[in-house]
Amino acid sequence: MKKIIFSALCCACSFSYAQEHFSGFSSSRRVGILNAGANPSELANLFRTVDIQLFAFSLDASNNKVGFSDLIEGKNVEDLIFAGGEAVDFDINTQIMGPSAGFSAFGWGFGVATRSHIRANISNVNTELGDALTNSALNSILGASTISNSENQRITGTVWGELALSAARKLYDKKNHQINAGISLKLLFPGSYANLGMSAFQGTITNTAGDVRLNNAAAQLNIAYSGSLANEFTDASDYFSSLWGGLNGVATDIGVDYQWKGANNKYKLKVGASVCNIGSMTFKDDNNATRTYSLSVNDANPVNGLGLDLNQFESIDGLRDIENILIANNGANGVDFTLENESRDFKVKLPTILNLYADYQIISKLSVTLFMVQRLNDEGANDQILSQNMLSITPRFTTGMFEGFIPVNFNEISGTTAGLGLRLGGFFLGSNSILTALSNDSKQADFFIGSRFGIL
């Protein structure tokens, strides 16, 4: 288990990225196909008749344990991860946008976009349990510790591709007011998936000179895997090797926006709302499996090898290893590991979110954007891809060829960050938290880059 948890944490600590992709740029006044990812109605506001997105890359993550200064000072990451009583939360989120295009015709705006997604999450993992599974409880004092956690502790990884077909139209455009609406149909191509969920966990962990045992325990376990993440969960190549699978899912985005225009027909205020990722995808592979188990350890005495030996989970590579170890321990030393239900193919729900934003022009070339992301799904469900809530405020300076912005973000896992982004012609890059990382103990950073051009 050490490889699974610690590899994911190392990725997050090494990058420590934020949550909103292309933060600040996705609400740019130079509207293109990228803006439609946050709200499909924006296709009715295309800056050029044709907008071509050559590529865009965004790597995001956040954590609640390890700060930028901790890495600079060379502190032991494993010690920091499982320190204190706060549950461990890490989020890594990558989006790769391939060749895409938006265009205006016959009073409509249309778009075709390709995107690949990679997500890895550790959610609500108890520090004492995580320490016992990865470090043989080296961070804990000798003796016994009783844990009770009614929520679902999860380690997940998901890879999929999507082809989005979008359309938008002006519903109302008179005098100083304009209302647009849009919709996207996403064809989903699930690549690989892994989920370890442990809910209603309670038990006593005893550390006797490095011999770590679990006793008087009960929990519900979900173990699900598909594709390249079935065998290993620890190598980046396991994720990038399966960006696109077969077509096995559909999702929808819907959105509207309102503009209050000034004398030059450019908007003074724009307000938008969208609900994105309404849908699910089905994973089908030769090594597919999703199983729910009940785990109980009834022997209350950790002495003389009784109870579940947690040391054997230290060096495993994948979820199959966890499953095989628990099956091998079934019926020994008071361990009862019972299969309750299983299936081969399974559905996974996309992270449905509500986007709300407002962009206000303060003076010519200077504006400010308020952007909010609110998740709408149950994060504790084992068939749910995880997401975060986020609020950002972005002052922006815009000319024809240049755009500069400073996003200030409030992230539910890593707190407040400030970043910097710019656009020069069709090239753009930025970081959602570079300013915070350089100035204080930020637990978040991000990076995005891309290139596009417009015609007519």
Side-chain angles (χ1 to χ4, degrees), residues 124-144:
N124 196 40
V125 172
N126 179 273
T127 54
E128 292 176 294
L129 179 60
D131 184 35
L133 292 173
T134 60
N135 302 320
S136 296
L138 294 178
N139 294 322
S140 303
I141 61 174
L142 297 178

Side-chain angles (χ1 to χ4, degrees), residues 385-422:
I385 299 175
L386 300 174
S387 63
Q388 292 184 47
N389 298 324
M390 187 276 301
L391 178 69
S392 69
I393 301 174
T394 306
R396 185 190 320 273
F397 177 80
T398 307
T399 66
M401 288 293 293
F402 175 81
E403 183 175 345
F405 47 93
I406 302 176
V408 178
N409 289 264
F410 309 92
N411 182 290
E412 70 172 316
I413 289 181
S414 54
T416 303
T417 62
L420 183 66
L422 62 86

